[in-house]
């Protein structure tokens, strides 16, 4: 069984590798704005789950997946290797709005002005698609919500953080496991979900499609 991460996120890859998985990465290339525009008035949870599903489904149907699953069995003239494709999407719900990555330092600065000293909900949508011989044989999805309690960086600290560029590359303009960690007082819920992929939720979704996560651990780790 091959584990395929349908994401360009280095954070998601790092979380999975630290947890014993060596994913094949296939970036979905999904137009997230187009997917969002096609949803009739979604809740924040519905939005991130729909985006995660769009990413996983695009990869599950892709020639790239067929190539790596057939390629691994081509010599033996067997059918394609089975795969589970996992897609995610993270956004921060705060102050009545749902935001992704800030486009500019100015937007990140304004986000932190609203976040500092308060709390937000980091939502990560998850989708798992099981593929066998090129056909989708199982689908599961869900959203993990984690409350994040933000510190109040000084102006000098915030400007230094903005200058690092890190806030611009991540949903909510903060990280838990990077420079942003200095400005997060705590989380209530699953920390891995804040970083980009919830391990406990992914475990449950894999079980829904008949896959035990321990069977996916790298050789010798389970
Ligand atoms: N290292 C780290 N990254 C975070 C954290 N919070 C959010 N992020 C990253 C994870 C994702 O790469 C990004 C959220 O944006 P998306 O969900 O749209 O994923 P991204 O565009 O990176 O890749 P993808 O659309 O899945 O190909 O923000 C954090 O606490 N730590």
């Amino acid at each position: 069984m091959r584990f395929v991460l349908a994401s360009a996120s280095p954070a998601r890859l790092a979380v999975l590798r630290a947890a014993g998985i060596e994913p094949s990465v296939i970036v979905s290339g999904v137009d997230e704005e187009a997917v969002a525009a096609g949803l009739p008035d979604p809740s924040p949870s519905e939005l991130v789950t729909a985006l995660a599903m769009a990413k996983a489904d695009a990869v599950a149907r892709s020639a790239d997946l067929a190539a790596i699953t057939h390629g691994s069995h081509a010599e033996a003239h067997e059918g394609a290797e089975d795969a589970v494709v996992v897609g995610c999407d993270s956004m921060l719900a705060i102050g009545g709005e749902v935001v992704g990555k800030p486009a500019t330092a100015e937007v990140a600065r304004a986000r932190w002005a609203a976040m500092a000293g308060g709390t937000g909900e980091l939502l990560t949508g998850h989708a798992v698609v099981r593929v066998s011989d090129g056909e989708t044989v199982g689908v599961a999805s869900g959203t993990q919500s984690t409350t994040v309690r933000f510190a109040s960086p000084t102006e000098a600290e915030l400007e230094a953080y903005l200058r690092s560029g890190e806030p611009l590359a991540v949903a909510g303009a903060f990280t838990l496991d990077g420079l942003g960690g200095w400005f997060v007082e705590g989380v209530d819920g699953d920390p891995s979900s804040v970083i980009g992929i919830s391990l406990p939720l992914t475990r449950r979704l894999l079980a829904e499609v008949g896959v035990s996560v321990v069977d996916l651990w790298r050789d010798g780790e389970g």
Side-chain angles (χ1 to χ4, degrees), residues 100-175:
K101 303 175 193 173
T104 64
E106 288 66 33
V107 170
R109 184 180 291 110
R111 292 260 181 86
W112 267 100
M115 286 159 34
T119 63
E121 293 297 317
L122 198 294
L123 302 173
T124 297
H126 297 67
V128 174
V129 178
R130 183 171 179 174
V131 181
S132 181
D133 247 348
E135 296 297 323
T136 294
V137 296
V139 175
S141 62
T143 297
Q144 190 83 326
S145 175
T146 306
T147 301
V148 181
R149 297 192 303 281
F150 297 102
S152 299
T154 66
E155 185 177 347
E157 288 169 335
L158 179 57
E159 291 307 315
Y161 187 44
L162 295 174
R163 280 196 304 275
S164 78
E166 180 186 275
L168 302 190
V170 295
F174 79 98
T175 64

Side-chain angles (χ1 to χ4, degrees), residues 48-209:
V48 293
T49 300
L51 287 169
M53 181 58 73
K55 296 174 190 180
D57 189 52
V59 169
R61 300 168 184 271
S62 71
D64 287 345
L65 181 67
I68 64 171
T69 51
H70 278 290
S72 61
H73 279 210
E75 307 73 39
H77 303 297
E78 298 168 13
E81 180 186 13
D82 282 10
V84 280
V85 181
V86 177
C88 295
D89 191 79
S90 297
M91 298 185 87
L92 178 68
I94 191 162
E97 60 173 336
V98 184
V99 294
K101 303 175 193 173
T104 64
E106 288 66 33
V107 170
R109 184 180 291 110
R111 292 260 181 86
W112 267 100
M115 286 159 34
T119 63
E121 293 297 317
L122 198 294
L123 302 173
T124 297
H126 297 67
V128 174
V129 178
R130 183 171 179 174
V131 181
S132 181
D133 247 348
E135 296 297 323
T136 294
V137 296
V139 175
S141 62
T143 297
Q144 190 83 326
S145 175
T146 306
T147 301
V148 181
R149 297 192 303 281
F150 297 102
S152 299
T154 66
E155 185 177 347
E157 288 169 335
L158 179 57
E159 291 307 315
Y161 187 44
L162 295 174
R163 280 196 304 275
S164 78
E166 180 186 275
L168 302 190
V170 295
F174 79 98
T175 64
L176 191 59
D177 57 326
L179 294 175
W182 295 100
F183 310 118
V184 174
E185 293 293 351
V187 298
D188 298 327
D190 171 16
S192 59
S193 183
V194 177
I195 298 170
I197 180 168
S198 170
L199 294 174
L201 176 55
T202 302
R203 170 180 160 272
R204 295 197 297 274
L205 297 178
L206 286 168
E208 279 188 44
V209 299

Side-chain angles (χ1 to χ4, degrees), residues 2-5 12-24 84 199 202 206 212-218 221:
R2 187 178 289 258
F3 189 109
V4 178
L5 177 60
R12 293 185 177 122
L13 183 56
V15 168
L16 289 168
R17 280 179 167 161
I21 304 287
E22 191 53 54
S24 299
V84 280
L199 294 174
T202 302
L206 286 168
S212 168
V213 69
V214 299
D215 293 337
L216 299 171
W217 289 351
R218 278 187 298 266
E221 293 196 77

